[in-house]
Amino acid sequence: MKTKDLIFILIISLFWGASFLFMRVSAPVFGPVALVMIRMVAAAFILSFIFLSAANRTSLKQNWKAIAIVGLFNNVLPFVLLSFASTRLEAGFTSLINASTPVFAALIGLLWLKNRITRQQLAGLIIGVSGIYVLSIGHLSFKAGGSGWAIMAGLMATLCYGFAINLVKSRLQHVNSQVIAAGSVSFAALMLLGPGLWLWPSEPIGLIHWSNALLLGFLCTGVALLMFYHLVASAGVMASASITFLIPVSAILWGYVVLQEVITFKMIIAMAITFFGTALCNRLIKWPLFKKSAAVP
């Protein structure tokens, strides 16, 4: 791997890990919907140059319906759900739930698109989900003051991501990835303008929260997406998949350093289990028990 690609991986993981920190700080002030509206508008502004190309504009026009749906399920719904989760959960906790996205993407691909999976991938699905269960033990209370609804919101966000990933694979593989990124973010910004302004907080918002919201949009979404798609083109999908493992580590460290969040032993165990399941599911490692890797019918 090139040194530049490695640097990109580290920077992207820092940006995406910091997004959970920014949501944790600013979501209680802006509210989930208004915060995500700012995030999407800022990201759309950064990515707007992509549509200076006539070919990209034509591609967007031809595929706008599917790209708009991707915007709904890859940006609007999961970002709002994660922002809500961040009002109740620590940044590191939320990021660990989010790390199960590849597991749920594989599960939705199996159920929706009837993708055949190997026994190793099936084992990875089960192990990955069990990691989230371990993380949720003692927190899954739906009573007043409990974290149950926040955890469910985080899991629903990963399901939305999983659906969006499979939609792109099934309907948009022929479309330039930058067009999908810029188009989906732009549609998401349009979808959120009305609800975001309607739910705008009545109290004045301080500079620190505005800074967090804008950094969330410009750096953690717009710039990070540009870097990510450059990385995919330069180093391939396998290298970019490694970011999945670094984001929770980054988020936990950000939370520990900036917000003095506690790193518990249970979080470390849950992270290890989820990472192992994700690595099996994405065939980043091979388990000798499933050496033949037979497909599950």
Side-chain angles (χ1 to χ4, degrees):
M1 182 184 297
K2 300 177 184 177
T3 302
K4 181 180 178 181
D5 293 335
L6 180 59
I7 293 173
F8 268 37
I9 288 174
L10 293 175
I11 293 175
I12 294 168
S13 66
L14 286 173
F15 282 170
W16 283 347
S19 69
F20 293 93
L21 172 70
F22 294 143
M23 286 190 290
R24 176 65 172 160
V25 172
S26 292
V29 177
F30 281 97
V33 177
L35 177 62
V36 178
M37 180 197 71
I38 297 171
R39 180 178 186 176
M40 292 296 95
V41 170
F45 176 79
I46 287 288
L47 297 174
S48 61
F49 78 93
I50 290 172
F51 296 118
L52 293 176
S53 163
N56 288 343
R57 293 197 301 271
T58 299
S59 180
L60 178 66
K61 184 177 180 180
Q62 292 173 341
N63 300 278
W64 73 270
K65 290 183 181 179
I67 292 175
I69 295 174
V70 170
L72 175 64
F73 283 93
N74 198 59
N75 298 310
V76 176
L77 294 177
F79 285 175
V80 170
L81 289 165
L82 287 172
S83 293
F84 168 74
S86 297
T87 63
R88 305 287 198 280
L89 304 173
E90 296 88 350
F93 195 111
T94 310
S95 71
L96 282 174
I97 296 176
N98 188 69
S100 64
T101 294
V103 174
F104 286 105
L107 180 60
I108 290 175
L110 172 65
L111 297 176
W112 175 33
L113 301 178
K114 308 301 180 184
N115 293 340
R116 293 173 65 83
I117 64 172
T118 65
R119 291 173 182 170
Q120 173 176 308
Q121 289 176 303
L122 181 60
L125 286 173
I126 296 171
I127 292 171
V129 172
S130 68
I132 300 302
Y133 172 75
V134 170
L135 183 68
S136 303
I137 292 174
H139 293 273
L140 204 59
S141 171
F142 295 93
K143 297 179 181 179
S147 302
W149 291 115
I151 293 172
M152 292 303 297
L155 290 174
M156 288 301 297
T158 63
L159 287 173
C160 289
Y161 283 138
F163 175 78
I165 290 169
N166 283 284
L167 179 62
V168 170
K169 287 181 178 179
S170 63
R171 302 287 179 83
L172 294 170
Q173 280 193 329
H174 63 288
V175 180
N176 185 310
S177 58
Q178 290 191 348
V179 173
I180 298 173
S184 62
V185 164
S186 299
F187 280 119
L190 290 173
M191 293 176 198
L192 285 164
L193 274 178
L197 293 175
W198 179 264
L199 296 172
W200 193 262
S202 57
E203 297 295 324
I205 298 171
L207 179 60
I208 183 66
H209 298 295
W210 270 110
S211 300
N212 283 340
L214 293 175
L215 287 171
L216 184 61
F218 286 127
L219 287 184
C220 300
T221 309
V223 174
L225 280 175
L226 287 175
M227 295 180 68
F228 177 74
Y229 286 117
H230 174 84
L231 177 68
V232 171
S234 175
V237 175
M238 190 65 72
S240 58
S242 63
I243 298 175
T244 301
F245 300 90
L246 294 176
I247 292 173
V249 176
S250 170
I252 289 171
L253 290 177
W254 278 118
Y256 176 77
V257 172
V258 179
L259 301 178
Q260 286 77 55
E261 293 182 349
V262 178
I263 302 175
T264 66
F265 180 71
K266 185 169 69 174
M267 288 176 64
I268 296 173
I269 294 298
M271 181 166 58
I273 294 172
T274 302
F275 284 0
F276 182 56
T278 300
L280 285 175
C281 195
N282 288 274
R283 290 177 289 190
L284 297 178
I285 60 175
K286 293 183 178 181
W287 197 352
L289 182 62
F290 302 104
K291 189 174 182 180
K292 294 183 178 179
S293 193
V296 177

